[in-house]
Amino acid sequence: MNEKIAQLLNTQINKELYSAYLYLDMSNFYDEQDLDGYANYYMIQAQEERDHALLFMKYMQNNGLKVTLDAIDKPDKVFENILAPLTAALEHEKYVTSLINNIYHEAHEAKDYRTMKFLDWFVNEQMEEEDNADSMVKKYKLFGQDPKGLYLLDQEYAARVYNAPSLVL
Ligand code: FEO
């Protein structure tokens, strides 16, 4: 495999683990506010991000590539209010989409069809991730300022359950 692509895949493991860290930080923030539903939502989001990291790692292993784990950055965002993590999550997912698109672009340039096929799942996943994050921002803006509305939103997010990824390697 093209060395540049191998490097990008390896870096993506770290990016996904950082995403997990970021969402754990958000989960802690909401836990401190006693918004247990939001805390639950981001706890599960962190689990999904860990799964993404493991999928990249497994793909590298399956292709005989050496995996090098790097230090994970400290999540250092200070959340000023209940909306702040929601908008930060949306921005973060847009950033992750740009990373996936970049690997896809390099794989296309290198005619690495196998990696393109592997990444197809992530391209779709990012659409879902951005859509969910966007919906959380919009719902909060519509209903979240009202205590009853916020309570109902929190109940909605409390119902989220963890599902293993549909991609199996
Ligand atoms: Fe692994 Fe939320 O993207």
Side-chain angles (χ1 to χ4, degrees):
M1 186 184 290
N2 178 309
E3 211 171 290
K4 188 172 182 184
I5 294 169
Q7 184 59 51
L8 287 169
L9 292 169
N10 197 93
T11 301
Q12 194 62 28
I13 297 171
N14 186 271
K15 298 285 184 183
E16 300 290 347
L17 289 173
Y18 173 77
S19 301
Y21 236 38
L22 182 65
Y23 290 130
L24 281 180
D25 201 36
M26 292 177 181
S27 182
N28 288 334
F29 169 81
Y30 286 118
D31 186 70
E32 284 162 19
Q33 319 291 320
D34 282 331
L35 287 166
D36 297 342
Y38 279 92
N40 171 63
Y41 186 95
Y42 283 112
M43 179 65 77
I44 290 169
Q45 193 61 33
Q47 289 173 280
E48 283 201 358
E49 299 301 348
R50 174 211 52 203
D51 290 341
H52 295 169
L54 295 181
L55 284 167
F56 275 97
M57 197 167 84
K58 188 86 171 87
Y59 180 72
M60 290 188 71
Q61 289 170 342
N62 288 356
N63 283 278
L65 299 167
K66 180 175 165 49
V67 174
T68 307
L69 294 179
D70 209 343
I72 305 165
D73 286 344
K74 182 181 156 119
D76 57 359
K77 283 192 169 51
V78 178
F79 303 122
E80 304 284 353
N81 51 50
I82 293 167
L83 175 63
L86 308 179
T87 52
L90 177 58
E91 284 317 301
H92 183 70
E93 286 305 333
K94 286 181 181 170
Y95 167 64
V96 174
T97 297
S98 76
L99 297 175
I100 300 288
N101 287 349
N102 182 47
I103 309 173
Y104 205 102
H105 171 75
E106 293 296 337
H108 182 260
E109 292 284 293
K111 294 190 169 60
D112 181 348
Y113 302 116
R114 186 187 296 173
T115 298
M116 287 164 71
K117 205 156 171 46
F118 164 69
L119 289 174
D120 279 341
W121 186 87
F122 285 92
V123 171
N124 288 331
E125 177 74 3
Q126 282 311 119
M127 179 172 63
E128 209 179 296
E129 298 269 69
E130 282 188 40
D131 188 38
N132 290 340
D134 186 52
S135 158
M136 289 183 83
V137 170
K138 286 187 176 140
K139 282 186 178 177
Y140 180 80
K141 286 183 176 169
L142 276 171
F143 312 116
Q145 333 287 328
D146 168 61
K148 280 187 203 142
L150 182 60
Y151 180 76
L152 289 172
L153 281 177
D154 196 52
Q155 296 263 324
E156 181 182 327
Y157 299 131
R160 186 182 188 191
V161 290
Y162 168 74
N163 289 309
S166 55
L167 179 64
V168 179
L169 294 177

